[in-house]
Amino acid sequence: MSRLRHVAVVALAVALIGAMGVAPAVAQWPGHASGPNNDGANHDATGYGDVEVGTYATPGGDIASEPAVTGDGVFVAANDTVAAYTDDGNWTTDLGATIYGTPAVTDSRAVVAAGSTLYALDTDTGATVWSATLDDTVAGSVTVNDTTAYVGTQSGTLAAYSLVGQERWTYDAGASFGTTTPSVAGDTVYAGTADGTLHAVATADGTQRWTTTITGDSPARLTTPVVDDGTVYVADSGGSVGAVSTDGTQQWTATVDGTVAWEPVLNGDNVVVAATDGTTKALVTADGSTAWTTSVPAAGTIGPQLSSAGDTILVGTDNGSVLGLSPDDGTQQWENTVDGTLVTAVAVSSGTSYAGTDTGVVVSVSRVSNAGPVPGIGGGDEETETPTETATPTETATPTQTDADTEADDDTPTATETPDRTDTDTQTPTRTETATQTATQTTTTTDTVTATDTATRTATATDANTDTDTAIDTATTTDTATRTATATDANTDTATATDTTTTASENESTDTADNGGGGQPTTTGATTSGEGPGFGTLVAVVALLAVAVLARRR
């Protein structure tokens, strides 16, 4: 296949994807412990050294595991109900059995186990897309990686299902998985059982790769494994913490005084684990040595649940509080009391984070610099700050540049093909900038290409520290093309799309963002996000031109 033909095929594929609006949601905390490796960390989240804690929503019931947070909204399970709070609307779905875990959310599905049934719900409506009956109750969460959902049952069965509901394989661990959640990294799924055994299973077919135990003591229930950089970290209920390489070789073990109920979390070079009495210890990942030890408030029931927000370790306690620890030495930075007793781990997003309580309250944990309206709730007043600064620089630059490129295509042409192409670009930008902290910039660019595509763009931007951009784009394309694409999915979904383009005009895009009050940015006009196609008209035009040239070469 010639270079031109390859470019044309790729361009057409990109244009078709853009036209169909296929784009994944932006995942921030898409499942339990941030899944699928369950490290309990959002490494990009910062600024949680000072927070405001409040009530986000009240779905009711007992929220046993933290919410899931994606670019679409917040998803939470309470008793037997899944509730979603999104910018497009809120919904609840009653599944008729107790849900103990966090929904695992993709761009279109929320996968959750209720009782002994696995459900996939539509993230837009909450409708059940499919369900599958398992061999026993699930007390942990579902893990989704790529196109597969993994879940462990009380009878010791690890099951893998495709995201269209087809069972791929099952694995018998011989002991209950209890409240643990499978972890996936590479081509292996890791899961710990109540008899103290860590299992490594091939994701392709469910065959066993290896098993190991953390200590030789009496069997102790293992927590959810945490996988990072070729190492699996896991704790048992007796207080032992182990690091095992992904080939099954044990690297080190350490101990934490007390009973451990929840998985460790990763923060930088440390793995942090908490006992039910509040003893919290940071262990160096390299050798298991103690980096620091501290104590957090605890009632001694299920103990603290941890998550990592970059420069802060967030703690949900069993005495009704949420607090933050310094990852450097474990010192307490802040503590807030919430409505409830048992508080889940905090689901950390890049903005506002969320936790659940046993009284059915979803708690919001907002950075002080980011306090404001949150998705699905609304309200709050925007704040606009316009500082006064006087500076009067004047800069005038008028460069003139003319480029002429001639490219000859040496592919063998047909008798009716002229492969030589001449591109002539004439660019004359003129910029005048005058600021009293106010800048006016005018750029005029004229590109002329003999491929009969002419575009003129004029943009005017005014900045007065209010983050307001106004752009006027006008594009006229003299090509007329009709494209028909038919896509057939093996899952019985068939789509036919016909696109006829003659003239494209894009006019007026205004973006206004105000982060001074910490609320969600407000965008008006043409945008590109996880909810939209993510491709502009220009891509489609380029693709159509390439296809036209390809047709001439045949």
Side-chain angles (χ1 to χ4, degrees):
M1 179 180 289
S2 68
R3 176 176 61 85
L4 183 59
R5 182 174 300 175
H6 176 74
V7 171
V9 172
V10 172
L12 178 58
V14 171
L16 288 174
I17 292 173
M20 291 184 291
V22 178
V26 178
Q28 298 175 336
W29 193 277
H32 176 67
S34 191
N37 67 338
N38 293 328
D39 63 0
N42 187 329
H43 302 288
D44 297 329
T46 58
Y48 281 91
D50 190 11
V51 304
E52 292 180 353
V53 176
T55 297
Y56 173 77
T58 53
D62 182 9
I63 302 174
S65 190
E66 82 271 23
V69 185
T70 74
D72 291 331
V74 179
F75 301 79
V76 62
N79 275 1
D80 55 1
T81 299
V82 178
Y85 305 92
T86 74
D87 290 332
D88 295 330
N90 304 337
W91 54 259
T92 59
T93 299
D94 188 343
L95 298 180
T98 302
I99 305 167
Y100 295 100
T102 298
V105 183
T106 72
D107 59 345
S108 60
R109 299 288 180 264
V111 187
V112 67
S116 59
T117 304
L118 184 65
Y119 291 91
L121 308 180
D122 186 288
T123 54
D124 291 333
T125 65
T128 299
V129 180
W130 57 263
S131 63
T133 301
L134 306 172
D135 67 347
D136 205 345
T137 300
V138 176
S141 298
V142 180
T143 297
V144 171
N145 187 50
D146 295 331
T147 59
T148 305
Y150 304 90
V151 62
T153 71
Q154 292 287 70
S155 64
T157 298
L158 179 64
Y161 280 82
S162 73
L163 291 186
V164 295
Q166 181 180 15
E167 181 184 291
R168 290 187 167 168
W169 51 258
T170 59
Y171 168 81
D172 184 6
S176 173
F177 284 106
T179 59
T180 63
T181 299
S183 299
V184 184
D187 59 359
T188 306
V189 54
Y190 305 90
T193 53
D195 66 353
T197 303
L198 179 62
H199 297 257
V201 178
T203 57
D205 55 11
T207 57
Q208 183 184 98
R209 295 194 185 278
W210 49 261
T211 63
T212 190
T213 57
I214 302 305
T215 67
D217 298 337
S218 59
R221 180 188 59 82
L222 292 185
T223 65
T224 295
V226 174
V227 190
D228 180 69
D229 195 23
T231 302
V232 184
Y233 304 93
V234 66
D236 67 26
S237 57
S240 296
V241 183
V244 182
S245 67
T246 51
D247 64 4
T249 304
Q250 188 159 303
Q251 298 177 355
W252 53 258
T253 59
T255 59
V256 176
D257 293 336
T259 300
V260 176
W262 306 104
E263 65 273 1
V265 302
L266 288 178
N267 184 283
D269 295 329
N270 295 334
V271 56
V272 187
V273 62
T276 55
D277 65 357
T279 300
T280 305
K281 181 178 285 190
L283 304 171
V284 179
T285 56
D287 56 13
S289 60
T290 299
W292 50 261
T293 301
T294 191
S295 182
V296 301
T301 54
I302 64 173
Q305 299 185 57
L306 310 177
S307 56
S308 175
D311 54 1
T312 305
I313 296 172
L314 302 178
V315 185
T317 74
D318 59 353
N319 69 346
S321 63
V322 179
L323 54 96
L325 302 179
S326 166
D328 298 327
D329 55 13
T331 55
Q332 184 172 309
Q333 298 175 328
W334 48 264
E335 180 179 3
N336 286 269
T337 301
V338 303
D339 183 5
T341 300
L342 305 179
V343 184
T344 71
V346 180
V348 183
S349 78
S350 56
T352 300
S353 298
Y354 306 89
T357 72
D358 59 344
T359 57
V361 175
V362 179
V363 176
S364 62
V365 181
S366 305
R367 298 172 298 176
V368 168
S369 60
N370 194 51
V374 286
I377 296 299
D381 297 326
E382 293 188 356
E383 299 178 5
T384 302
E385 181 181 356
T386 306
T388 302
E389 181 178 347
T390 302
T392 314
T394 302
E395 179 182 347
T396 302
T398 311
T400 302
Q401 178 178 346
T402 302
D403 295 333
D405 298 331
T406 302
E407 177 181 338
D409 191 343
D410 293 333
D411 291 343
T412 303
T414 62
T416 61
E417 180 183 1
T418 303
D420 293 340
R421 188 184 72 194
T422 300
D423 294 343
T424 301
D425 295 337
T426 301
Q427 187 176 37
T428 306
T430 301
R431 185 181 67 187
T432 301
E433 180 173 324
T434 302
T436 303
Q437 197 55 24
T438 301
T440 301
Q441 178 175 321
T442 304
T443 303
T444 303
T445 303
T446 302
D447 294 335
T448 304
V449 182
T450 58
T452 69
D453 191 8
T454 303
T456 301
R457 174 175 180 173
T458 302
T460 301
T462 301
D463 187 1
N465 276 344
T466 55
D467 293 339
T468 302
D469 296 333
T470 303
I472 299 176
D473 290 345
T474 303
T476 304
T477 303
T478 59
D479 289 338
T480 300
T482 301
R483 182 178 69 243
T484 302
T486 302
T488 303
D489 189 353
N491 294 323
T492 70
D493 290 337
T494 303
T496 302
T498 302
D499 186 12
T500 302
T501 305
T502 55
T503 301
S505 177
E506 179 183 352
N507 189 13
E508 189 173 351
S509 173
T510 302
D511 295 341
T512 301
D514 173 26
N515 292 323
Q520 298 295 316
T522 302
T523 304
T524 304
T527 61
T528 300
S529 68
E531 297 178 353
F535 299 88
T537 305
L538 181 59
V539 175
V541 172
V542 171
L544 293 174
L545 290 174
V547 172
V549 174
L550 177 61
R552 293 176 54 196
R553 294 183 61 85
R554 293 180 177 173

